[in-house]
């Protein structure tokens, strides 16, 4: 039987629709509306780099222009409708997903016990029970509150003192939970003091969790290979993902389709009949020019984004300055369903300083598109708390 074929333009639209970027969002960006956005995305990656706005804030602002950073902290620390843990990296995740993370806690603990002794400082395993007792007796702590007599100088991001390592281990294994942040510093407490009982008490079989993870990943990606589905939440293993796809295909829960990539190549993916029907009826994308976080979910899988959009994007933070193609922390810029360039901008005092904009090859920056870019820079100033915009000479690299 001939497989369905989805050409590149509707494939892009389906992917952007699943990531809440096809049309402008008009919600408040707080409370229940923000919870709806988080649920739709599946998670929002957290990152500490703050040249213009933190990654999680920019991701949410891109979907809700009224969003402000305090709304996410309220969701996690007060409403308790989101929790912090890991997908492929640190993230805020809808609280209703917490029961499914128990499998991740278990598997992460096994991996950490196997790998961490070889690359973490000695002594962290001896601190586990001490820290748990301290939290039980005294309440929430940060890494500053533990390891009083330890050497805390670090040679890098992952060179933690033993008590900090123990905290991260306990968090990753689900034995403690992030209750709030101050600035960007995490504070941890016992799960029963953080996670609502209706989610804390749920126990599911591993097979149920794998089925949920695969189904929900496909819902948010629109179409994907088994490997891409496994990587979305990083709960199901690659082998479990392959087995799930085979069983779901046999039972006709999913179908195979050929998806056209930006270069015209066809990639066989799994999807559903409903999503193929939806792709055919989606409207044209919004014409708004959008500044995205380098960690935006649309770009999270860099290889997938390159195949689908013809957009090769790499973060150059760890590239020596002389070898950078663009800059330290450059923002992707999209219009409609296509990447149109990259922006180097950052906060300097009360201003946004625009250092450079590089159009993508073949993209013309005429008057209308330039005006759209300037309007987006002005809009992002409200998120970043800036009052003016400065442009360096020759910032437009067209």
């Amino acid at each position: 039987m001939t497989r369905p074929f989805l050409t590149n333009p509707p494939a892009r639209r389906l992917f952007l629709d699943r990531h809440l970027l096809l049309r402008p969002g008009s919600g408040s960006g707080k409370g229940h509306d923000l919870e709806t956005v988080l649920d739709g995305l599946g998670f929002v990656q957290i990152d500490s780099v703050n040249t213009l706005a933190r990654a999680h804030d920019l991701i949410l602002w891109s979907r809700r222009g009224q969003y402000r950073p305090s709304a996410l902290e309220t969701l996690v620390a007060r409403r308790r409708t989101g929790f912090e843990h890991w997908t492929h990296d640190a993230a805020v995740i809808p609280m209703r997903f917490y029961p499914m993370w128990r499998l991740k806690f278990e598997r992460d603990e096994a991996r950490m016990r196997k790998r961490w002794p070889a690359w973490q400082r000695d002594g962290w395993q001896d601190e586990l029970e001490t820290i748990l007792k301290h939290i039980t007796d005294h309440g929430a702590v940060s890494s500053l509150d533990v390891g009083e007599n330890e050497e805390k100088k670090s040679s890098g991001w992952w060179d933690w003192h033993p008590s900090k390592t123990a905290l991260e281990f306990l968090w990753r294994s689900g034995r403690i939970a992030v209750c709030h942040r101050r600035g960007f510093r995490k504070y941890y407490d016992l799960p029963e003091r953080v996670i609502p009982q209706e989610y804390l008490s749920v126990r599911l079989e591993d097979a149920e969790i794998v089925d949920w993870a695969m189904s929900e990943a496909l819902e948010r990606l629109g179409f994907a290979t088994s490997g891409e589905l496994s990587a979305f939440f990083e709960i199901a293993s690659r082998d479990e993902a392959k087995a799930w796809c085979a069983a779901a295909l046999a039972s006709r829960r999913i179908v195979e389709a050929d998806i056209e990539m930006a270069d015209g190549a066809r990639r066989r993916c799994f999807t559903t009949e409903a999503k193929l029907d939806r792709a055919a009826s989606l409207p044209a994308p919004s014409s708004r020019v959008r500044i995205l976080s380098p960690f935006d979910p649309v770009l999270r899988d860099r290889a997938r984004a390159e195949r689908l959009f013809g957009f090769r994007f790499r973060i150059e933070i760890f590239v020596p300055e002389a070898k950078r193609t663009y800059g330290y922390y450059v923002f992707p810029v999209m219009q409609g369903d296509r990447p149109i360039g990259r922006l180097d901008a950052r906060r300097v005092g009360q201003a946004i300083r625009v250092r450079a904009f590089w159009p993508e090859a073949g993209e013309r920056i005429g008057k209308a598109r330039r005006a759209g870019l300037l309007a987006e820079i002005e809009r992002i100033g409200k998120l970043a708390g800036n009052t003016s915009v400065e442009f360096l000479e020759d910032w437009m690299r067209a």
Side-chain angles (χ1 to χ4, degrees):
M1 186 174 67
T2 303
R3 286 187 297 274
F5 175 56
L6 191 62
T7 61
N8 188 247
R12 292 187 189 204
R13 292 180 186 184
L14 178 59
F15 187 58
L16 291 172
D17 178 64
R18 297 291 77 201
H19 286 76
L20 311 182
L21 282 178
L22 188 67
R23 289 160 283 195
S26 58
S28 66
K30 59 185 178 181
H32 178 69
D33 179 65
L34 184 60
E35 292 160 15
T36 300
V37 174
L38 180 62
D39 195 271
L41 293 174
F43 62 88
V44 171
Q45 183 175 341
I46 301 171
D47 191 77
S48 61
V49 179
N50 193 14
T51 59
L52 188 57
R54 295 198 192 277
H56 42 285
D57 294 324
L58 188 48
I59 290 167
L60 295 170
W61 173 84
S62 295
R63 278 93 180 152
R64 292 291 190 270
Q66 296 184 60
Y67 167 83
R68 297 296 180 266
S70 61
L72 186 62
E73 176 65 16
T74 296
L75 186 153
V76 173
R78 296 172 60 185
R79 292 173 66 90
R80 302 295 192 204
T81 49
F83 70 101
E84 288 196 31
H85 209 261
W86 279 64
T87 52
H88 66 299
D89 210 322
V92 174
I93 302 156
M95 184 63 78
R96 72 182 185 89
F97 294 2
Y98 186 85
M100 278 63 77
W101 250 250
R102 291 191 179 280
L103 182 57
K104 193 168 182 66
F105 297 156
E106 176 186 317
R107 292 178 174 181
D108 279 1
E109 177 168 352
R111 280 192 290 268
M112 289 185 293
R113 286 194 182 279
K114 181 179 180 180
R115 298 175 185 173
W116 281 22
W119 63 276
Q120 292 285 2
R121 296 187 202 175
D122 293 337
W124 62 270
Q125 295 178 77
D126 299 331
E127 296 299 318
L128 296 175
E129 294 305 321
T130 300
I131 288 175
L132 271 177
K133 186 176 188 311
H134 180 86
I135 293 174
T136 301
D137 294 344
H138 302 288
V141 301
S142 75
S143 60
L144 294 180
D145 303 316
V146 296
E148 181 179 353
N149 298 316
E150 294 174 353
E151 172 60 58
K152 296 189 178 183
K153 289 183 180 179
S154 172
S155 62
W157 285 6
W158 296 98
D159 182 20
W160 299 327
H161 60 85
S163 293
K164 163 67 173 174
T165 303
L167 268 179
E168 290 292 317
F169 177 91
L170 291 168
W171 173 51
R172 292 285 298 273
S173 60
R175 313 261 286 281
I176 58 177
V178 173
C179 54
H180 63 272
R181 286 180 182 254
R182 291 178 187 164
F184 200 67
R185 186 175 301 281
K186 296 193 294 285
Y187 283 75
Y188 308 84
D189 207 338
L190 300 178
E192 53 265 36
R193 297 173 183 165
V194 178
I195 308 301
Q197 186 61 36
E198 62 186 294
Y199 303 110
L200 188 65
S201 61
V202 174
R203 296 292 187 276
L204 299 171
E205 298 294 326
D206 289 0
E208 293 178 273
I209 295 173
V210 168
D211 181 69
W212 174 89
M214 295 293 288
S215 301
E216 293 293 314
L218 185 57
E219 182 64 25
R220 286 162 180 81
L221 290 173
F223 52 86
T225 64
S226 65
E228 289 168 342
L229 292 173
S230 170
F232 188 80
F233 290 120
E234 291 202 353
I235 293 176
S237 71
R238 291 296 184 104
D239 288 342
E240 287 169 333
K242 289 178 181 177
W244 183 90
C245 287
L249 190 62
S251 65
R252 302 184 65 82
R253 287 178 64 186
I254 61 176
V255 298
E256 286 185 309
D258 287 334
I259 311 297
E260 185 182 34
M261 301 292 105
D263 63 0
R266 296 188 180 197
R267 184 171 173 83
R268 189 183 303 184
C269 294
F270 298 105
T271 186
T272 66
E273 294 283 2
K275 289 179 179 60
L276 291 173
D277 291 343
R278 181 175 179 82
S281 61
L282 286 170
S286 164
S287 62
R288 171 182 165 182
V289 174
R290 294 180 185 269
I291 298 171
L292 300 180
S293 164
F295 297 101
D296 195 277
V298 165
L299 301 168
R300 173 249 179 129
D301 185 335
R302 307 259 187 250
R304 179 182 173 99
E306 187 170 348
R307 286 191 295 265
L308 188 61
F309 295 101
F311 183 61
R312 180 176 174 79
F313 184 81
R314 300 293 184 270
I315 297 174
E316 298 184 296
I317 289 175
F318 300 111
V319 177
E321 186 171 1
K323 295 184 178 181
R324 289 173 188 153
T325 303
Y326 298 103
Y328 173 80
Y329 195 76
V330 172
F331 300 90
V333 180
M334 293 189 73
Q335 184 178 35
D337 62 0
R338 58 198 302 154
I340 64 168
R342 304 154 202 252
L343 180 73
D344 186 352
R346 62 188 61 193
R347 293 192 319 275
V348 179
Q350 290 299 304
I352 293 176
R353 181 170 295 167
V354 178
R355 301 177 67 186
F357 175 79
W358 296 269
E360 286 299 287
E363 296 292 339
R364 181 176 175 272
I365 309 299
K367 288 183 179 180
R369 191 170 265 180
R370 182 184 177 108
L373 175 61
L374 296 178
E376 182 76 344
I377 294 171
E378 291 285 348
R379 280 192 290 265
I380 205 171
K382 296 178 181 178
L383 172 70
N386 298 98
T387 57
S388 63
V389 180
E390 302 172 355
F391 295 89
L392 297 191
E393 187 177 359
D394 299 325
W395 69 276
M396 180 62 73
R397 305 292 175 86

